Amino acid sequence: MSEAPQPILLSSHLLGIEGLSVGEITALLDLADEYVALGRAKQKKSPLLRGRTVINLFFEPSTRTQSSFELAGKRLGADVMNMSVRTSSVTKGETLIDTATTLNAMRPDILIVRHQNSGATSMLARKVDCCVVNAGDGAHEHPTQALLDALTIRRRGRNFEGLTVAICGDVLHSRVARSNIHLLAKMGARVRLIGPKTLMPAAVARFGVETFTDMREGLKGVDIVMMLRLQLERMSGAFVPSTREYFRYWGLDREKLSHANPGALVMHPGPMNRGVEIDSAVADDLEVSLIHEQVEMGVAIRMAVLDALSRGLPAGERTI
Amino acid sequence: MSRTVFHNARLIDPASGLDAIGGLVVEDGKIADAGPHLLAEINRDDAAVIDCQGLVLAPGLIDMRVSTGEPGSEHRETLKSASRAAVAGGVTTIIVMPNTDPVIDEPSLVGFIRRRAEATARVRVLPMAALTRHMAGEVMTEIGLLKEAGAVAFSDGDRTISNTRVLRRALAYASGFGVLVVGHAEDPDLTDGTAVNEGEYAMRLGLPSAPAMAEVMIVERDIRLVELTGARYHFGQISTAASLEAIAKAKARGLPITCGVSAHHLALNELDIGTYFTFMKMKPPLRAEADRAAMVEGVASGIIDVIVSSHDPQAADTKRQPFAQAAFGAVGLETLLPVALSVYHEDRADLLHVMKALTWAPAKILGLESGTLAKGAPADLVLFDPDAPFVVDPEKLHSRARNTPFKGRHFQGQAIKTYVGGECVFECGASA
């Protein structure tokens, strides 16, 4: 890395893909490539964030995203603190503002936030002085997931221009789907959504995507199949009659995958519900499944994001 | 005998269609005379003569939809603080919602509101009573006794009675007493747990949403129930083009149906939610631009009878939440006049027509004596400058709550003086 790193992000927060430019996304992916190499070396650490404090603030339980951010911060030499806040139904939003102002007083440099409510992260970003990374807010955005998905696709030598990507399953409740739709559209890929109509948002066509109920039909001509987790804990009512019916029509198995383009690759943000949205035979087939690569790319992309945001941090002491 | 004379005023009286320069005489709290003919008779040097300098003198506004926090959550708003906001906005009568704690579903509670208002408020406060006990939508209230106690209308606030049989019986019973029922139209099952209008923007924000159609479904059901029962029915506020169309048809069939729209839904659409601005969260939710435009059209055409503030003060702690968890509601008493006047300033309707929706129309629906400049009517008046710039500054609001969705917006129209029963209760620039 050069002596005076170039700024990458216009904003001092990463709250969503929607506000990013193609240039910013490409620069983040380029930077992440360097961190993939670092992660594969014996000496995995960089002193870039030495002395900086990174706080993982998770209002919603998460194992992989939280540990991915933690590892990214530690590999960059930052002090990483994990905070899991259990929210009772009584105190919910109050906790958010209170916790934010409390943490802000501890003068962290970067705050990584996951919250079950859409918009909670941007609300919090307005209340603190440090950089905020959205690690998933409600059904709104999960920008680092979309970035790591893009990195995975790009490193497989696929060009976004002309690429057809199908996002399958619970689009309605999925922040992963929204962030990916924004990112893929910006990068020139064609996006299709496949799933039961109860799990498709209204006005989804306004996103410039094609939607399909029939998975076999929807997978025709597809290069990348992104499966979404059927978020059972988010279901506020009966959106699908049963998991077995769901698997029958929208679970990805070899037969359904055979309708996609030859060489089509399968992705899943994890954790998977085997036998609900994806068949183990597909998930574990290293020829088609990118699921493990996604996890590796996750650490690299989060290092790139922390690096990019830290470039905007004041080098000297803060006076206020 | 007390006597006040207004001179050189642009008299706007929607009840008679009067829009002319003239004078108005108040005697003992009532309007003794008004009209252009008074111009010559008035001695301008008399101390009790107020030169209005050509500004508009109109009946004070009657706001059919106001929530306060009294009783139960006085930290949000009291009848006193709401009345302070009202007079600053030229409003002289407020109809208060029964959705307090406790719910106004007992004659003694109607009496409580009236006594508290008498003792503390500067405006006329007319209570609505709940249509069903605890507004639970199950058992009707004592409609006759509540009416005797002074309830001017019956409503379950912003709750829709989902049980059609309960509503049918309540409407049938209410029609026997000739009382007005004020309904809220949002299908409770479709809207439960949602925060915004369904559509592209809701999807982008990832917020739980309900389709706009959830409103007209209830509008159409309630129209049929009115047909069945003959009750006088008023849709407290509508927000969609489809509802407007349904109500237009029902009116054409001669059903005793009227409707209102909030100033918020005349001036704002769903995009004003911006980045999760919780002051834009209201019931019904802000709609698509086509629906907003239809609301303006509905006011212009007269299908929409009244414009209301839907004043709903919320404390900071319930609004400073993630959007889906934040409370519904926005204050509006002080912005009602300038926002409503934008319909006039945009040349969609003349001043008389807009003022009718704020004065004479609600007076007629509620059977009030006010809302007119006719001889013998109470001297509830507002003197206002329809062209004066009005920039919304939350810090300058008189309400106890600050949750206005119009922060920083520019309107035209400023109340200069407000009179209730001939007594000046507000003067612009004077300390409250």
Side-chain angles (χ1 to χ4, degrees), chain A residues 60-222:
Chain A
E60 202 180 60
S62 151
T63 313
R64 49 183 74 206
T65 306
Q66 186 169 337
S67 46
S68 181
F69 269 110
E70 184 179 352
L71 195 55
K74 284 181 170 163
R75 282 190 178 165
L76 291 174
D79 295 315
V80 183
M81 185 175 92
N82 285 317
M83 274 200 70
S84 296
V85 186
R86 290 194 185 280
T87 54
S88 77
S89 58
V90 189
T91 51
K92 34 192 182 186
E94 195 59 29
T95 314
L96 176 65
I97 297 276
D98 289 351
T99 315
T101 45
T102 307
L103 288 179
N104 192 47
M106 298 178 187
R107 299 185 179 274
D109 297 290
I110 299 176
L111 204 54
I112 293 153
V113 185
R114 167 167 289 189
H115 197 279
Q116 59 274 26
N117 284 127
S118 303
T121 320
S122 56
M123 181 171 116
L124 200 139
R126 289 194 286 264
K127 305 279 178 196
V128 297
D129 309 315
C130 58
C131 301
V132 174
V133 180
N134 181 2
D137 64 325
H140 179 224
E141 284 233 43
H142 189 357
T144 56
Q145 179 70 44
L147 287 165
L148 76 89
D149 289 342
L151 182 64
T152 310
I153 293 169
R154 201 176 78 162
R155 286 181 63 92
R156 275 294 179 121
R158 305 293 173 104
N159 197 340
F160 292 110
E161 209 69 50
L163 192 74
T164 303
V165 181
I167 301 176
C168 311
D170 184 3
V171 177
L172 182 64
H173 297 100
S174 177
R175 51 194 173 218
V176 174
R178 280 173 183 73
S179 286
N180 264 313
I181 291 169
H182 289 308
L183 188 144
L184 292 165
K186 280 177 202 282
M187 303 303 283
R190 287 176 51 186
V191 180
R192 292 179 182 179
L193 305 177
I194 303 173
K197 291 200 170 173
T198 46
L199 296 176
M200 284 295 156
V204 75
R206 301 273 300 165
F207 272 69
V209 297
E210 286 180 283
T211 57
F212 294 85
T213 305
D214 184 324
M215 194 169 193
R216 290 178 183 84
E217 193 191 328
L219 286 179
K220 274 178 198 146
V222 163

Side-chain angles (χ1 to χ4, degrees), chain A residues 18 93 117-118 140 178 206, chain B residues 200 203-204 206 276 321 325:
Chain A
E18 196 174 12
N117 284 127
S118 303
H140 179 224
R178 280 173 183 73
R206 301 273 300 165
Chain B
E200 181 190 358
M203 193 218 160
R204 280 182 190 278
Y276 304 97
Q321 303 260 13
Q325 290 178 353

Side-chain angles (χ1 to χ4, degrees), chain B residues 32 77 109 174 192 213 238-239 249 262-263 278 288 305 335 338 378 393 428:
Chain B
E77 189 95 291
L109 291 166
D192 183 39
M213 208 86 88
I238 61 165
S239 61
K249 281 185 190 158
S262 84
T278 59
D305 301 87
T335 47
D393 178 356
C428 184

